[in-house]
Amino acid sequence: MTYRRLLAEFLGTGLLVTVVVGSGIAAQRLSPDDVGLQLLENSTATVLGLTVLILLFGPVSGAHFNPVVSVADWWLGRGSGTGLAGGELAAYVVAQCAGGIGGAVLANAMFAVDAGMASTERTGGGLLLGEVVATAGLVLLIFALARTGRGALAAPAVGAYIGAAYWFTSSTSFANPAVTVGRMFTDTFAGIAASSAPAFVGAQLVGAAVGVLLVLVLYPSAGRAADAVVVPHPEPTELRA
């Protein structure tokens, strides 16, 4: 595990949360009386930002930016010796969560929002089911692309999926524990109260398990492609120059 991979995961996750939170703040200020338009602005920025971040950091770390993706990568690849090792998984998750918090703090600072924990409660079985659906679909999409040699399409495909899931899920598709943790640190349109976050993370873990099960049924040998998740990334020595 090189520092470059961890730095890429830290920066990528952090900037993703900055995009989500920053565009949420901007949307709330630009369209204060139209929640639907706020969500459209927020989701559009997220689609574009996530696509760019995967293209930017993918060649270094694979652009997981998401603990459930890293866990699925470790779980599916462990039998074939591909994907993340246990120690690498732990390091990725720490870097992602730290990045998520930093990204929210950065967005708050750019828009001169007072620092503080989010107060927006997001509760209810429907929202949690939305997180299960969103996360399961994300895991299935990523590993299906990797297994079929279409990892180069991951950036636009993942961006498009998350953008669509903003609208077809009741929860607006957090689908990411690190992003959920980060969004606890902004009391704005994109925030989530600390009391709501554990249930969201739990639903995301359930969704990840469902996604992995679907991958194993539909693509039984997907673990062999774990090194190409989310996008193919060479060994660190190949990046020296």
Side-chain angles (χ1 to χ4, degrees):
M1 174 60 60
T2 69
Y3 75 90
R4 280 184 289 195
R5 288 189 174 181
L6 296 181
L7 180 60
E9 287 297 301
F10 173 82
L11 291 174
T13 310
L15 290 172
L16 173 58
V17 173
T18 300
V19 169
V20 172
V21 173
S23 63
I25 297 170
Q28 195 171 33
R29 292 180 179 179
L30 292 169
S31 310
D33 301 317
D34 192 334
V35 177
L37 185 54
Q38 291 173 14
L39 187 60
L40 177 61
E41 293 161 345
N42 188 206
S43 62
T44 300
T46 301
V47 169
L48 298 175
L50 179 55
T51 300
V52 170
L53 291 171
I54 292 173
L55 291 172
L56 177 60
F57 295 111
V60 181
S61 68
H64 291 193
F65 307 157
N66 188 334
V68 298
V69 173
S70 298
V71 169
D73 183 64
W74 164 76
W75 179 262
L76 289 169
R78 74 197 194 289
S80 55
T82 58
L84 296 176
E88 293 172 332
L89 169 62
Y92 261 49
V93 171
V94 170
Q96 291 157 356
C97 291
I101 295 171
V105 172
L106 175 60
N108 290 339
M110 286 195 297
F111 286 91
V113 172
D114 291 338
M117 301 296 286
S119 59
T120 303
E121 296 283 348
R122 299 177 188 263
T123 59
L127 268 65
L128 299 181
L129 179 58
E131 282 300 288
V132 172
V133 171
T135 309
L138 177 63
V139 170
L140 178 58
L141 170 63
I142 288 169
F143 282 90
L145 291 173
R147 178 63 187 88
T148 55
R150 295 177 295 163
L153 297 176
V158 171
Y161 175 79
I162 292 298
Y166 257 84
W167 294 91
F168 76 74
T169 66
S170 55
S171 62
T172 66
S173 183
F174 284 47
N176 186 330
V179 168
T180 303
V181 169
R183 290 169 70 167
M184 289 166 48
F185 289 83
T186 180
D187 195 15
T188 62
F189 176 79
I192 178 172
S195 58
S196 301
F200 260 58
V201 172
Q204 291 156 3
L205 293 174
V206 172
V210 172
V212 167
L213 179 60
L214 291 173
V215 169
L216 289 172
V217 171
L218 295 172
Y219 302 95
S221 59
R224 299 175 188 171
D227 281 335
V229 171
V230 168
V231 296
H233 44 290
E235 290 301 315
T237 53
E238 297 177 48
L239 293 173
R240 294 176 186 164

